[in-house]
Structures are given as C-alpha cells and as structure tokens.
Amino acid sequence: LFVVRAEDERGRHETARARRLVLAIGKRGTPRTLPIAIAAGAESRVSYALADARSFAGKRVLVVGLGDTAMEAALALSRQPGTLVTISYRGADFARGKARTIAELKAQVARGRVRLVFESQLEVP
C-alpha cells in the first residue's frame, strides 16, 4: 500500500492510499524514479509509464507529478470504470501544462473522478 500525506499552509492534513502507483514525472523515455525506497515485493505495482489504462479499471491509483504526462495519465485512468485516481504534486498549484489538459483535469476533479493533493511528498511509512 502506498500512502501520501500532505499538509497545507494551515496545518490541515490529507492522506491518500493506493495499491498501485504511476509515477509521471519527467520526460517520456527518461522518467525520474521515485525518491524513496520501494518495499520488496511492491516493485511490480510501480509503473513509470502507462501503456494501458484499462488494466487499472476498478483500482485505486496514485499518480505522482503534474506535468503533461502525469495529467494525461490521470485523465486516461479516470475514464476507466470504478478507478479512483489521486494525484500527488509537490507544488502549490498548476505550474505548466497545456491549457486544454488542465481544464479537462479540473473538470474531472470537479466530478470527483480525480483527487488532487498539492504540496505533498512521498515517504516510506
């Protein structure tokens, strides 16, 4: 189980949990790796690319990052039946990305299909 804990400027805490994690930070073909140790046996549940969003149908998925690749992955995942998508982003707001992609992601957040957690970091429990 992957857990992301975030604290906002007012000290409020949020926690997101998922059995699978899609890390979408960095360029396609040269993704960054997670800045934490992955527990033995959990490596198969961490993906550095999204080949088939359908394989995540009905799952809880954590997407790390908020660039175009991360947003596109989160959107594709959010369209799958029963899939709960949480995005963890270390920044305080959208910093880059295509306007159309940001608008679509915000719409999915408003529909409750995506949960967006700003100012969050990954840690090993």
Side-chain angles (χ1 to χ4, degrees):
L1 185 67
F2 296 95
V3 178
V4 173
R5 291 184 185 90
E7 180 179 338
D8 68 15
E9 66 279 354
R10 294 186 184 116
R12 293 178 299 200
H13 294 84
E14 286 191 57
T15 302
R17 292 176 170 78
R19 292 190 53 77
R20 287 160 181 75
L21 180 132
V22 175
L23 184 69
I25 57 174
K27 298 179 213 167
R28 230 176 260 255
T30 56
R32 289 191 221 164
T33 57
L34 282 173
I36 59 171
I38 305 300
E43 299 93 346
S44 66
R45 296 192 327 255
V46 177
S47 301
Y48 291 97
L50 181 62
D52 182 11
R54 293 174 297 189
S55 65
F56 291 91
K59 311 272 192 229
R60 287 185 300 165
V61 183
L62 175 64
V63 175
V64 178
L66 198 57
D68 279 320
T69 301
M71 287 188 280
E72 290 166 6
L75 288 168
L77 291 163
S78 73
R79 294 182 195 112
Q80 304 313 308
T83 302
L84 302 174
V85 180
T86 300
I87 298 173
S88 170
Y89 181 56
R90 64 184 172 211
D93 202 353
F94 291 89
R96 61 186 179 279
K98 297 178 188 104
R100 184 178 69 203
T101 306
I102 293 170
E104 188 176 349
L105 182 60
K106 286 180 176 180
Q108 288 294 71
V109 169
R111 289 183 193 108
R113 301 287 301 146
V114 174
R115 182 172 170 230
L116 186 52
V117 183
F118 288 109
E119 298 181 331
S120 57
Q121 298 290 325
L122 299 175
E123 65 180 48
V124 178

